[in-house]
Amino acid sequence: MNLADSAFLRACRRQDVPHTPVWYMRQAGRSLPEYLKAREGVPMLTACATPDLIVEITMQPVRRYGVDAAIFFSDIVVPLKAIGIDLDIKPGVGPVVADPIRDRAGLDALRPLEPGDVPYVTEAIEALTGELGGTPLIGFAGAPFTLGSYLIEGGPSKNHDRTKAMMYGEPELWHALMDRLAGIVLEHLRLQVLAGASAVQLFDSWVGAVAADDYRAFVLPHTRRIFAGLADLGVPRIHFGVGTGELLGLLGESGADVVGVDWRVPLDEAARRVGPGKALQGNLDPAILLAPWEVVERKAREVLRRGEAAEGHVFNLGHGVLPSTDPDQLKRLTDLVHTS
């Protein structure tokens, strides 16, 4: 099959599709026994820098589920690690930064990302595109707000106190930090597309912590810069955040072609908030997969029905696959979406 004719890429471009395409955030890992076996004894950031392992883990859900797109196995902090930021991913905690950035001197640690910093990314993507054939590969990166929060807080944060304190109290420093991060993220995404990725997703996982007016002032300009900087490459650009129901219209204004929707807002309402000219992605609550199949089926059909309100719909979860998910549920769900 011609890659451009894949159901996933056609839906992203709001074209007719043979079936609703489906892939799952965090499908490459988490719940798969073959993933746990491949990762045994291998730290996350080591795995993300090992091409053979990246290829194997990226391919696992494609083989098992028959999803319509693969997502590159990596982590949003990989480009930060690659430019020399002292950080680690602690099991059960998340990214932990040794020297948080809280003043202008800290900005000096953020140098531009260069292709030679992430040779394993290019090598793995080139190998993957050969293996995947007509299945598109999605490249991804974390957005400046989310990366900035980890850098400022020093790790995961419930309230993003220090992050917001800088945003409100030191706006010049904030914009300087966002500008540096936008440059790093843009380069990282361009590298992935130039190596062979067919689409990209920008994850702004924690931006739902920001009010709409503040998003417009402090976040949107930097997101727009990233998406504008990818425009010449001609690949679909997806934007996703958690808890972003109040921001969906603004996510649409960012320059994304596809707006990812978490489980809190029904897709027909999301289509109204985002407005015309965009496809939607989502949005089954990942926790529903822990319920009996009859519940999963009913809820999935409801998502598909509401998704008909969008100009294009890529079925997905409203966030990542939970570690305790039964892979057989995801296989049945994939088949259901394909045949509905």
Side-chain angles (χ1 to χ4, degrees):
M1 183 184 70
N2 185 345
L3 197 57
D5 284 334
S6 74
F8 168 73
L9 292 176
R10 289 186 66 85
C12 288
R13 294 182 169 124
R14 312 191 314 282
Q15 298 168 339
D16 291 339
V17 290
H19 60 262
T20 301
V22 52
W23 70 278
Y24 307 109
M25 288 181 280
R26 292 187 180 147
Q27 66 185 16
R30 301 296 289 272
S31 67
L32 287 176
E34 55 265 44
Y35 166 75
L36 298 172
K37 187 177 178 185
R39 273 284 317 280
E40 205 170 354
V42 183
M44 181 63 175
L45 288 173
T46 303
C48 293
T50 308
D52 289 352
L53 208 45
I54 296 170
V55 172
E56 169 59 21
I57 294 170
T58 302
M59 291 299 301
Q60 286 174 351
V62 179
R63 296 187 200 117
R64 185 185 269 258
Y65 303 136
V67 284
D68 294 279
I71 177 110
F72 188 67
F73 173 71
S74 189
D75 189 272
I76 63 171
V77 299
V78 162
L80 300 181
K81 181 77 172 178
I83 62 169
I85 298 295
D86 186 356
L87 60 81
D88 195 14
I89 298 176
K90 306 276 190 192
V93 179
V96 176
V97 179
D99 300 304
I101 294 176
R102 293 172 185 164
D103 54 29
R104 192 153 290 269
L107 277 179
D108 295 339
L110 288 176
R111 66 165 176 83
L113 181 74
E114 297 168 5
D117 294 324
V118 285
Y120 41 86
V121 169
T122 304
E123 184 181 332
I125 288 177
E126 288 173 351
L128 276 165
T129 50
E131 278 207 44
L132 284 163
T135 302
L137 176 66
I138 305 167
F140 78 91
F145 179 88
T146 294
L147 294 178
S149 177
Y150 283 124
L151 289 172
I152 296 165
E153 305 286 346
S157 169
K158 194 171 183 181
N159 299 311
H160 310 279
D161 321 38
R162 292 178 180 273
T163 305
K164 289 184 174 183
M166 182 189 291
M167 189 175 81
Y168 293 130
E170 299 180 85
E172 284 188 18
L173 178 60
W174 171 263
H175 283 294
L177 174 60
M178 291 295 101
D179 186 60
R180 294 274 181 101
L181 288 170
I184 291 165
V185 170
L186 174 56
E187 179 62 20
H188 191 49
L189 289 172
R190 287 189 67 87
L191 282 170
Q192 292 175 67
V193 176
L194 293 171
S198 302
V200 292
Q201 176 156 313
L202 186 66
F203 284 85
D204 214 346
S205 308
W206 308 135
V207 81
V210 174
D213 285 350
D214 294 328
Y215 181 92
R216 186 181 290 283
F218 294 108
V219 180
L220 184 59
H222 307 286
T223 311
R224 273 186 171 150
R225 176 188 162 199
I226 292 167
F227 285 131
L230 296 165
D232 64 303
L233 299 177
V235 299
R237 298 156 294 177
I238 309 167
H239 196 17
F240 172 75
V242 184
T244 50
E246 296 300 320
L247 306 178
L248 285 172
L250 290 165
L251 296 186
E253 287 180 35
S254 68
D257 305 294
V258 184
V259 175
V261 185
D262 78 4
W263 66 92
R264 294 169 177 87
V265 179
L267 287 180
D268 46 357
E269 170 60 15
R272 189 190 68 76
R273 294 186 191 186
V274 171
K278 308 288 178 186
L280 296 184
Q281 179 176 281
N283 71 336
L284 187 72
D285 186 336
I288 286 170
L289 289 163
L290 308 181
W293 170 251
E294 311 81 72
V295 179
V296 177
E297 181 178 13
R298 186 176 78 249
K299 292 287 194 178
R301 290 190 188 281
E302 185 180 327
V303 169
L304 287 164
R305 180 179 60 78
R306 291 179 182 272
E308 291 173 3
E311 293 178 27
H313 177 212
V314 176
F315 189 97
N316 207 312
L317 305 180
H319 198 196
V321 174
L322 296 169
S324 54
T325 305
D326 179 354
D328 290 342
Q329 290 277 66
L330 282 170
K331 174 60 179 156
R332 290 183 78 176
L333 177 58
T334 306
D335 293 343
L336 172 70
V337 174
H338 282 162
T339 55
S340 294

